[in-house]
Amino acid sequence: MKVTICGAGRTGHLNAVLFKQHPGITVSVLTGAAAVAGRWTNGDGVWRAHTPDGNVLSGRPDYVGTDPREALINTDMVIVTQPAHARPALLHAFARHLPRDKRVYVGAIPGFCGFNWLAAKSLSSADNVVIWGMKDVPHTAFDLVPGEQVRMGGAKSQLFVALHRRESAASGTRLQAMLRRLYEASVTLLQDYLEITLTPGNALMHPAVLYALVGPGAPWESKPFDRPLCWWSDCPRAGAELLEACDAENQAIRHAVELRLGIDLSSVKPLRQELIEAYGSQIEDNRTMYALLRTNRAYAGIHAPLVPNPDGPGLVIDRASRAFHEDIAFGQALLVELAARLEVATPAITKTYDWALNYHGGFTEGAPACLPANWPEAA
């Protein structure tokens, strides 16, 4: 089985190494980073992953390069790990290079930000493509040295995937079989892709913490940070409380979708429950959201996006971070638009979203292009 991974970032790098631990798996990595491709071509090509228990896994991808035609030759599965804001251009670039003589399973890890709608629109001319997504990353990953090594964080005990509504039950069975060859965790097929779209994650989590750090009345609203901070082990109490409010509104969107479309989205659980089920004993204290975020060993060491202050000493929030360009401009924007179409009040989500638009200064407000114009009427 050949797997093409699109993106050589933390998730892409780690998955490439993990897949090469299994016999019979060919791994091709499509990257936009010429330096990473050159390092693979000119060096030994071995990528490494440091595991939480101190071991080092190594594997050599069969191809690392910038040419989609080469990366996609005879591929069976495409896994998009690039951030949401990079996906429209990526799908457009590789659409014409996909094999046409067999089923090709094109999915995203994670599958949020409306990937199902985006892929259906971008790959409309390829009727042999099966569109899927995974609810979350199988492992956290950090400390990436591009094209060389990455550090593996906590692992999910169970993986959840979903298909675009157009796909068949047989395609779902085949997808599960393919993913079970790649991952040790069990793989469960969800009933509807909206179970991924509405799963609470970074589109709720990162904006809430950013607002609590540098938003109105926050400790660093008017001054730089004097040291690096971690997203979660240093999460302020106000951030955890705002996150809980946003999560409650996400649940209200979920209930509205269930009523409008007549589907069961009970797998979309409150965030604290999701995290407890995902990380289990890795969380030392799960009694409150605040305690859970700060004591989850799987989250330890994941730094908030800070860069040197260009106007003086200290550190400031990095406006180039995926927290803005992916989680807010795509993920949070989609939630705001879904809520508006369903007439669901979301004051906490909207407050953080409107603030982030103003704080960043580089976004234009508007409905995400991937969302069909007639949703939910023609869901």
Side-chain angles (χ1 to χ4, degrees), residues 11 54 148 153 168 180 188 200 213 233 262 277-278 288 328 356 373:
T11 298
E148 295 185 16
S168 67
R180 284 167 179 161
T188 298
L213 291 173
S233 53
E277 292 180 3
T288 66
I328 293 167

Side-chain angles (χ1 to χ4, degrees), residues 237-252:
R237 189 179 298 275
E241 292 172 352
L242 178 57
L243 176 54
E244 288 184 298
C246 292
D247 184 49
E249 293 172 4
N250 190 65
Q251 286 292 308

Side-chain angles (χ1 to χ4, degrees), residues 203-204 207-208 211 216 242-243 245-250 252-253 327-328 331-341 343-359 365:
L204 295 177
Y211 190 96
L242 178 57
L243 176 54
C246 292
D247 184 49
E249 293 172 4
N250 190 65
I253 297 172
D327 303 331
I328 293 167
Q332 200 177 31
L334 181 58
L335 293 178
V336 169
E337 181 63 20
L338 293 176
R341 295 195 189 185
E343 299 181 334
V344 175
T346 55
I349 291 175
T350 302
K351 176 180 73 172
T352 56
Y353 177 63
D354 289 344
W355 165 80
L357 291 180
N358 181 68
Y359 179 84
E365 188 174 4

